[in-house]
Amino acid sequence: MANLDYPSSVMSREKMLKNNLLEMVPKIKKPAKSLGNFRKLPRELLYTVFDYIEVESLGQFCLTSHAFNYLIRCYLVRESSRRRFYFETKDLEETFEGCDQFSAWGKLFKAATAILDHQKCCSFVTYYFIKDLNIINWFGWNRCFMTICGNWKFEDRALFLHMVLEVTDLYKSIDTVLLEDAGKYPLLEMKVRNALRFGFLDGPFQKDLEVGFWISAILNTQETIERKTRLFILMYGPLQDIDGTSSPNILVIIHWRLLVDRNIESPNICANILRPISHAFDCLIQTSAIERYCWNEDQIFDLLEEISNDRLLFITALLVADSNGQTERASPSDE
């Protein structure tokens, strides 16, 4: 009988991912001597033992021998392991105390796939969140993602991004909101914004160069400067609550017309509204050291010009940050 909880497309992708994972786990006919006393235990009992071992320790076991690495990969593709992951991470919010289980599981995924290529490592991770069709804790997944791929080559990180966008249908969601008028699907726009910002751009330990790379990789998923501009503002544009007033309330949507309908007179208001956009441009400028994902001055100018020319997003001020971190309003152009 078909599982009614998930669309058939998701079920087929999940089956495909699991088949790929099983191909990564060779069958061990005889227990290896490198397992020590663990080789005396039946396989199912060994998996039960793993259930009671802390995730950090399992990651260390992965690095002791090929045999342990194989066994723990077998353990990770089991449904019980995925349930364990869910229960250990479901209550973690943006802030957390003590051990961060998202980071701990990220270390385990990284250790378990240390002898595999990065694409197969991505398959392990996507297998764990493909069932969650409404991911809301992107803060936690960011810590898991960056633990896994934080020191990868930029090309491999871009592959990781592609797999996440593909498996979670974010590619489809991005295409939907960019094809329609700005603001037509406000909740879907916020879903995309939260996934991209909290999942890749707003991590607690990310440097500006890394943020610049992720912005570049995300924008490069679009072909035209118009679509890149819409996606950029979708990620960094100002917000408003449902009632139409600026608020830090959780129930917010993108305020596409704020910079048109409202005069920005106070430097503080200007800073609050435009600081994220200004910081994003600063991060993009720093990508000059990344060849394939470099945004040169001409490309950044084209993006800024497209934003300025958009009737919905006309910007009359820019932030200029001084060496002390203070902000002031730049003089508007003669136009």
Side-chain angles (χ1 to χ4, degrees), residues 43-107:
R43 183 69 63 87
E44 292 300 321
L45 181 57
L46 188 58
Y47 293 151
T48 302
V49 172
F50 287 165
D51 282 333
Y52 291 92
I53 297 178
E54 292 184 354
V55 174
E56 295 91 336
S57 298
L58 287 177
Q60 295 174 2
F61 286 165
C62 285
L63 303 177
T64 58
S65 68
H66 283 279
F68 253 123
N69 190 283
Y70 293 150
L71 282 177
I72 292 179
R73 268 186 281 152
C74 291
Y75 169 74
L76 287 175
V77 300
R78 293 167 59 86
E79 186 63 29
S80 60
S81 300
R82 189 155 59 174
R83 287 198 299 269
R84 176 184 177 181
F85 171 85
Y86 171 76
F87 284 112
E88 290 187 0
T89 60
K90 66 184 180 72
D91 295 326
L92 294 179
E93 302 296 338
E94 178 182 0
T95 58
F96 53 91
E97 297 180 0
C99 178
D100 176 19
Q101 287 301 103
F102 271 108
S103 296
W105 277 88
K107 293 177 182 177

Side-chain angles (χ1 to χ4, degrees), residues 8-9 23 84 95 112 135 161 181 194 233 235 248:
S8 58
S9 60
E23 291 177 1
R84 176 184 177 181
T95 58
I135 297 173
L161 171 68
D181 294 336
N194 290 338
I233 294 299
M235 293 189 295

Side-chain angles (χ1 to χ4, degrees), residues 25-245:
V25 183
K27 296 181 180 179
I28 303 176
K29 296 182 179 180
K30 295 182 179 180
K33 293 182 179 180
S34 57
L35 292 177
N37 290 330
F38 282 106
R39 71 180 186 275
K40 300 177 182 179
L41 299 177
R43 183 69 63 87
E44 292 300 321
L45 181 57
L46 188 58
Y47 293 151
T48 302
V49 172
F50 287 165
D51 282 333
Y52 291 92
I53 297 178
E54 292 184 354
V55 174
E56 295 91 336
S57 298
L58 287 177
Q60 295 174 2
F61 286 165
C62 285
L63 303 177
T64 58
S65 68
H66 283 279
F68 253 123
N69 190 283
Y70 293 150
L71 282 177
I72 292 179
R73 268 186 281 152
C74 291
Y75 169 74
L76 287 175
V77 300
R78 293 167 59 86
E79 186 63 29
S80 60
S81 300
R82 189 155 59 174
R83 287 198 299 269
R84 176 184 177 181
F85 171 85
Y86 171 76
F87 284 112
E88 290 187 0
T89 60
K90 66 184 180 72
D91 295 326
L92 294 179
E93 302 296 338
E94 178 182 0
T95 58
F96 53 91
E97 297 180 0
C99 178
D100 176 19
Q101 287 301 103
F102 271 108
S103 296
W105 277 88
K107 293 177 182 177
L108 175 57
F109 293 143
K110 188 172 184 177
T113 57
I115 61 176
L116 305 176
D117 60 46
H118 291 155
Q119 184 171 1
K120 293 178 180 178
C121 179
C122 294
S123 296
F124 257 94
V125 180
T126 53
Y127 176 69
Y128 268 75
F129 67 81
I130 189 173
K131 274 194 172 183
D132 191 352
L133 299 182
N134 295 299
I135 297 173
I136 57 175
N137 193 358
W138 284 102
F139 289 107
W141 278 108
N142 175 281
R143 301 193 297 273
C144 182
F145 291 163
M146 299 308 139
T147 300
I148 295 170
C149 67
N151 60 352
W152 287 4
K153 294 180 179 179
F154 289 112
E155 292 79 5
D156 294 326
R157 298 189 210 184
L159 172 64
F160 191 95
L161 171 68
H162 166 73
M163 292 194 69
V164 171
L165 297 183
E166 181 69 30
V167 170
T168 57
D169 280 339
L170 280 172
Y171 270 136
K172 182 178 179 180
S173 298
I174 291 172
D175 193 54
T176 298
V177 297
L178 295 186
L179 283 175
E180 301 294 342
D181 294 336
K184 183 174 182 179
Y185 300 113
L187 298 183
L188 184 59
E189 290 172 350
M190 287 303 300
K191 177 182 177 181
V192 172
R193 178 189 176 110
N194 290 338
L196 297 178
R197 284 285 297 271
F198 302 148
F200 295 95
L201 303 173
D202 292 349
F205 309 113
Q206 289 175 264
K207 299 179 180 178
D208 286 352
L209 176 62
E210 296 172 335
V211 175
F213 158 74
W214 289 115
I215 296 174
S216 175
I218 291 170
L219 295 183
N220 286 348
T221 61
Q222 307 303 311
E223 295 182 357
T224 66
I225 187 62
E226 292 81 7
R227 289 174 66 93
K228 290 180 180 181
T229 303
R230 278 280 301 278
L231 184 56
F232 180 85
I233 294 299
L234 187 146
M235 293 189 295
Y236 287 102
L239 300 175
Q240 67 172 1
D241 66 12
I242 300 300
D243 296 329
T245 58

